[in-house]
């Protein structure tokens, strides 16, 4: 899900929240397994009156196989006109590799960085060895221009063709990531295999080690996670790190949450249902929302400083507000 500057919330889901959806592409989307409509983001100048005609909405989805063309992930751009996409405005921005037999490990999050480039999280499609290869987009973070071309200052310009889009590698299933406003720092949530869930510090050219290792204290020469938690059923354990957002509301001075929350990273686990809080400065993590039956797959701070999460279990958007003296 993604907030527009005017406060509207765009949600990638099966079905619509309004009577008429912004766009319905169900006839194009392969929704088997972990495929589907994976990510949504807005052009950095969306709604800017000084840049009319730039109300672009980018979506990342798994395209159905058809007419001899295998299923594959793709990023397309739509033009918004109020609460609807302009008919026929869909343009292909970037086509990813053909998907293999596995219907999982699809990643899918997309966000614009502070540099104006579009960042894309791509899972390994259960082809784990490709996460290390510069000849495949699987298991990577990609960085492209808004029109789908590849920036000349990407770290792997020596790679061939569209593989020049690779910005970082060695990821298993980077389900979500977030870009911190102001600093441009990127935190990547990577879903682990049997033991660890990771929050990684996004860096150009970084190699996070999958499949050679996962979790802390990994192999020499690989980027170590900023924070990792174990698989389990306690209040600090889970099985799949999903949502993640920096709490940096536009008006931090008047944000409803306490000032010590500003700049922290809130992350969720779909299995345990909790949301926890990580301080990037002290590296300390604390509880925020306890386990209570939800399955949070995305977390966002809203335009007025409240915290929102997308609940996969109920098909709902939930809002967490802060009131004095207790939340």
């Amino acid at each position: 899900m993604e907030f527009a500057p005017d406060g509207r919330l765009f949600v990638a889901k099966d079905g619509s929240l309004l009577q008429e959806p912004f766009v319905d592409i169900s006839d194009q989307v392969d929704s088997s397994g972990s495929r589907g409509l994976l990510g949504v983001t807005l052009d950095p100048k969306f709604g800017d009156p000084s840049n009319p005609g730039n109300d672009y909405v980018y979506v990342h989805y798994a395209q159905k196989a058809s007419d001899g063309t295998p299923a594959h992930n793709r990023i397309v751009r739509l033009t918004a006109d109020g609460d609807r996409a302009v008919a026929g405005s869909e343009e292909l921005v970037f086509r990813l590799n053909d998907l293999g037999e596995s219907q999982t490990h699809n990643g899918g999050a997309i966000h614009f960085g502070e540099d104006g480039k579009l960042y894309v999280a791509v899972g390994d499609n259960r082809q784990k060895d490709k996460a290390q290869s510069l000849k495949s987009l699987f298991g990577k973070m990609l960085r492209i221009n808004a029109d789908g071309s590849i920036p000349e200052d990407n770290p792997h310009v020596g790679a061939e063709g569209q593989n020049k889009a690779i910005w970082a590698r060695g990821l298993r299933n980077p389900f979500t990531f977030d870009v911190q406003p102001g600093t441009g720092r990127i935190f990547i949530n990577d879903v682990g295999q049997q033991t660890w869930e990771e929050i990684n510090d996004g860096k150009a050219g970084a190699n996070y080690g999958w499949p050679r290792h996962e979790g802390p204290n990994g192999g020499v020469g690989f980027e170590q996670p900023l924070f990792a938690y174990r698989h389990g059923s306690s209040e600090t354990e889970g099985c799949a790190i999903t949502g993640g957002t920096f709490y940096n509301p536009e008006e931090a001075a008047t944000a409803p949450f306490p000032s010590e929350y500003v700049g922290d990273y809130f992350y969720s686990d779909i299995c345990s249902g909790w949301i926890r809080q990580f301080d990037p400065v002290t590296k300390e993590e604390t509880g925020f929302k306890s386990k209570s039956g939800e399955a949070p797959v995305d977390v966002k701070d809203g335009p007025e400083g409240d915290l929102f999460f997308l609940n996969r279990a109920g098909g709902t958007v939930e809002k967490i507000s802060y009131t004095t003296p207790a939340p």
Side-chain angles (χ1 to χ4, degrees):
M1 60 181 175
E2 193 76 271
F3 277 99
D6 60 12
R8 286 181 296 164
L9 181 62
F10 288 74
V11 181
K13 67 181 298 288
D14 179 11
S16 60
L17 299 176
L18 300 179
Q19 185 174 1
E20 292 289 335
F22 174 75
V23 66
D24 183 351
I25 54 174
S26 56
D27 60 333
Q28 304 174 51
V29 175
D30 179 348
S31 59
S32 55
S34 297
R35 298 177 183 179
L37 183 52
L38 306 169
V40 57
T41 195
L42 308 180
D43 190 278
K45 296 179 181 179
F46 186 96
D48 185 346
S50 65
N51 287 275
N54 204 26
D55 285 351
Y56 296 137
V57 178
Y58 292 77
V59 295
H60 185 190
Y61 66 85
Q63 172 72 44
K64 288 180 179 178
S66 63
D67 299 328
T69 301
H72 61 275
N73 288 353
R74 57 171 45 201
I75 299 165
V76 303
R77 187 179 74 183
L78 302 158
T79 302
D81 181 12
D83 290 336
R84 299 295 303 277
V86 175
S89 66
E90 180 177 328
E91 295 182 29
L92 177 64
V93 172
F94 196 80
R95 185 196 189 282
L96 284 79
N97 299 146
D98 293 343
L99 293 168
E101 293 182 2
S102 174
Q103 298 172 349
T104 59
H105 295 196
N106 232 13
I110 53 174
H111 296 295
F112 277 94
E114 291 286 288
D115 57 0
K117 308 303 182 183
L118 184 61
Y119 290 78
V120 185
V122 187
D124 70 3
N125 193 223
R126 286 194 180 273
Q127 302 179 62
K128 60 184 181 181
D129 291 337
K130 291 186 176 180
Q132 288 293 320
S133 173
L134 294 179
K135 296 182 178 181
S136 170
L137 301 180
F138 290 129
K140 310 296 194 302
M141 285 287 293
L142 311 181
R143 177 178 180 260
I144 60 177
N145 293 315
D147 62 359
S149 61
I150 298 173
E152 295 182 356
D153 59 348
N154 269 9
H156 298 295
V157 292
E160 297 181 357
Q162 65 176 3
N163 296 319
K164 297 177 188 291
I166 296 171
W167 186 73
R169 57 177 162 162
L171 295 162
R172 180 176 181 268
N173 188 16
F175 191 77
T176 49
F177 69 95
D178 196 35
V179 181
Q180 186 173 37
T183 70
R185 192 175 189 183
I186 297 175
F187 279 7
I188 307 164
N189 294 351
D190 196 18
V191 178
Q193 187 173 32
Q194 295 178 341
T195 309
W196 295 101
E197 300 298 305
E198 298 179 358
I199 298 175
N200 291 289
D201 202 356
K203 297 179 181 180
N207 186 337
Y208 299 102
W210 176 256
R212 298 177 186 174
H213 78 86
E214 66 173 8
N217 305 315
V220 176
F222 297 119
E223 192 73 26
Q224 303 301 306
L226 274 177
F227 174 73
Y229 64 90
R230 285 185 174 274
H231 285 196
S233 57
S234 74
E235 282 289 347
T236 61
E237 297 173 319
C239 83
I241 186 169
T242 46
T245 189
F246 286 98
Y247 186 73
N248 285 96
E250 294 182 10
E251 302 296 334
T254 59
F257 282 40
S259 59
E260 59 265 28
Y261 286 34
V262 175
D264 283 1
Y265 186 72
F266 289 81
Y267 62 98
S268 64
D269 189 283
I270 189 174
C271 305
S272 294
W274 47 246
I275 298 174
R276 296 185 66 81
Q277 183 177 349
F278 176 74
D279 187 328
V281 177
T282 66
K283 305 295 194 301
E284 295 179 353
E285 57 92 25
T286 55
F288 178 74
K289 175 195 168 298
S290 299
K291 300 167 65 173
S292 55
E294 291 95 354
V297 292
D298 201 5
V299 184
K300 286 285 186 295
D301 59 337
E304 296 180 356
D306 298 305
L307 204 69
F308 292 76
F309 68 92
L310 193 59
N311 176 20
R312 181 74 168 80
T316 54
V317 176
E318 307 285 346
K319 175 182 177 181
I320 302 174
S321 299
Y322 191 95
T323 57
T324 304

